[in-house]
Amino acid sequence: MALDVNRSTLYYKPKTRDDSEVIDALNTLVEKHPRNGFRKLFLRIRNAGHEWNHKKVYRVYTSLGLNIRRRSKKRLPKRIKKPLMHLTEPNKIWSMDFMADNLWNGKRYRLLNVIDEFNRELLETEVDTSLQSIRVIRVLERIIDWRGRPEAIRVDNGPEFISTQLEMWSERNNIELLFIRPGQPTENARVERFNGSFRRELLDCYVFSSLKEVRDHVEEWIYDYNHHRPHEALNDLTPIQFLERYNQAQEKSA
C-alpha cells in the first residue's frame, strides 16, 4: 500500500500562514466599531486599501471569535466641548436636530430640521412617522444638490446621528460630524433656538389631522421664515436678505 502513495505527499510541508496584518486590522476596527458585523468590517478593510479576499478575512474573523455576538454597553466616544464660533460664510457649519409632535388622532410624527448656522436659513424640514439614518442621508444629499456641501454638521448623540451609515457617508463626502456632549443641548444652541421658534409659531398654533397637512404648512412656514421673518441675530434681516448681502459684498471684493 505504501507504494501507492505519491512521493510528493511524503515530502509535503504545510505552509505557515502569517495572518498578523489581518488580525491587527480586525482588532483595530473592532475596538473602534464594536457593533459592526463582518460585512461592514470587511468593507472598511477594503476602503483602507487592503486587498485580502473575503474568505481569508472571514477565516481570521471566525478564528478570533468575532462572529460570536456579545452583549455590550453602547459607548459614545469622548465628546469634546466645541463652542459656537462666529461664522463668516455659508456652508461652514450646518446644524440638524429632530422634533416630535402628535396628529389629531394621537399618532406621533417626527420632524428633521437642517439649518445653515451662518445665516440661520432653514434648508429643509423632513416630516414623517419614522426618520431613520438612511433617510437623514437622503435629506442631506438633496440639500447638497442645490446648496453645496458643508464643511461640518453639528448634531447631538441621537441614534440616527451616531449610526455607521451616517459616519461612512460623512467620511466619503469629507464632511466632519461635530457631536455635542451628552446632556448639553446648549452646545447646539442655534438649532435649539430655531426649534423653539418653530414650535411656538407653527406646531403649537395648529392641530393637524394628516402628515400632508403638516407638510403643506411646513412648506409655507419655511418660505416665510427664510424670506420675510426678521432675525435679531442677523441685524433684523431675514436669512435670505443676509445671504444676499454677503453675496453682494463678495462680488464687490472680487
Side-chain angles (χ1 to χ4, degrees), residues 34-97:
R35 303 303 294 171
N36 281 191
F38 170 74
R39 185 174 181 277
K40 282 192 172 61
L41 292 174
F42 178 68
L43 290 174
R44 286 181 182 276
I45 284 174
R46 278 302 179 88
N47 288 339
H50 300 295
E51 297 183 355
W52 308 308
N53 65 42
H54 71 281
K55 292 181 180 179
K56 177 174 183 175
V57 177
Y58 187 72
R59 174 175 55 77
V60 177
Y61 177 81
T62 53
S63 70
L64 294 174
L66 299 177
N67 57 324
I68 302 172
R69 287 192 171 272
R70 296 176 176 79
R71 289 185 175 273
S72 62
K73 261 189 176 179
K74 199 163 190 178
R75 296 169 300 175
L76 292 176
K78 186 177 180 181
R79 307 304 192 193
I80 301 171
K81 183 178 181 181
K82 296 179 180 177
L84 298 176
M85 63 180 74
H86 175 68
L87 301 174
T88 58
E89 59 184 291
N91 287 352
K92 294 289 285 185
I93 300 178
W94 293 357
S95 292
M96 58 182 177
D97 195 18

Side-chain angles (χ1 to χ4, degrees), residues 232-246:
E232 291 179 12
L234 305 177
N235 296 321
D236 291 331
L237 297 174
T238 69
I240 295 301
Q241 286 173 337
F242 191 82
L243 183 61
E244 288 173 347
R245 295 264 182 106
Y246 167 81

Side-chain angles (χ1 to χ4, degrees), residues 167-253:
E167 179 189 359
M168 296 180 72
W169 176 86
S170 63
E171 288 176 359
R172 286 197 305 271
N173 288 275
N174 196 27
I175 298 172
E176 183 183 4
L177 292 178
L178 303 176
F179 290 98
I180 66 173
R181 292 177 299 166
Q184 300 293 330
T186 54
E187 293 181 8
N188 205 2
R190 287 169 180 146
V191 75
E192 290 288 346
R193 181 177 179 181
F194 166 82
N195 288 348
S197 300
F198 190 90
R199 185 170 294 282
R200 285 191 307 273
E201 299 176 18
L202 179 63
L203 299 182
D204 288 350
C205 294
Y206 297 91
V207 176
F208 301 110
S209 60
S210 68
L211 288 180
K212 183 181 184 306
E213 279 189 18
V214 179
R215 293 185 182 116
D216 289 345
H217 279 76
V218 165
E219 184 177 353
E220 182 180 342
W221 192 87
I222 288 175
Y223 186 85
D224 180 73
Y225 174 86
N226 285 334
H227 291 82
H228 301 300
R229 183 185 182 279
H231 202 298
E232 291 179 12
L234 305 177
N235 296 321
D236 291 331
L237 297 174
T238 69
I240 295 301
Q241 286 173 337
F242 191 82
L243 183 61
E244 288 173 347
R245 295 264 182 106
Y246 167 81
N247 290 333
Q248 290 168 4
Q250 292 298 111
E251 290 174 3
K252 288 180 180 178
S253 62

